[in-house]
Amino acid sequence: MKLLSRMHKPTLVISALLAVASAVHAALPALDMDLMQTIEDTNKSMASHIAGSDAAGSLKDAQELHELFGAVEAHYVGKGDAVDGVELSRKSLQLTKKITEQVGGKDFTGASESATELSRTCRACHTFYKQS
């Protein structure tokens, strides 16, 4: 009977750990739709500012997007099983940094190309993580 009891202990511990891990994973909220809408609106605003060679507006939007994509990255890192989301949010962070540098150097053509790539990155992420 003691042997049987010792065999059940590891199974119970593993089961308990799995239950806790599942509960923590389920508790992670989906990305807030207001956050996603803010990203979309700010991205459109930035594209408009870049097209108009408005450095101040472009920089403000690029910096805001950089902060917002930091929150997106943190979400997907915390989720634990979202490799694509982590990679795409990190790519978005790199692009917003690049846009900031390009606008700072008055390279609005390069910034426009980077902003287009940023929009494509957003769309790619949406194909992986569609809201239903």
Side-chain angles (χ1 to χ4, degrees), residues 1 3 52 64 88 100 120 129:
M1 189 69 171
L3 178 61
E64 182 177 353
L88 292 167
T100 299
R120 287 186 188 127
Y129 304 101

Side-chain angles (χ1 to χ4, degrees), residues 5-72:
S5 177
R6 278 190 276 169
M7 290 175 59
H8 286 290
K9 268 188 178 177
T11 303
L12 289 173
V13 170
I14 291 170
S15 295
L17 288 173
L18 287 173
V20 169
S22 294
V24 167
H25 179 70
L28 271 175
L31 277 172
D32 182 69
M33 291 308 294
D34 288 338
L35 171 70
M36 299 311 289
Q37 188 64 52
T38 300
I39 289 173
E40 183 177 340
D41 293 345
T42 306
N43 193 37
K44 288 177 184 175
S45 173
M46 183 181 68
S48 177
H49 288 301
I50 290 170
S53 299
D54 175 0
S58 300
L59 287 172
K60 178 183 171 287
D61 289 340
Q63 290 164 349
E64 182 177 353
L65 284 169
H66 192 79
E67 291 176 22
L68 294 169
F69 283 121
V72 173

Side-chain angles (χ1 to χ4, degrees), residues 62 65-74 86-100 118 121:
L65 284 169
H66 192 79
E67 291 176 22
L68 294 169
F69 283 121
V72 173
E73 177 194 27
V86 172
E87 288 177 5
L88 292 167
S89 60
R90 287 181 178 161
K91 181 177 180 181
S92 297
L93 285 166
Q94 292 169 349
L95 286 166
T96 54
K97 183 179 179 194
K98 183 177 181 180
I99 291 166
T100 299
L118 179 62
T121 303

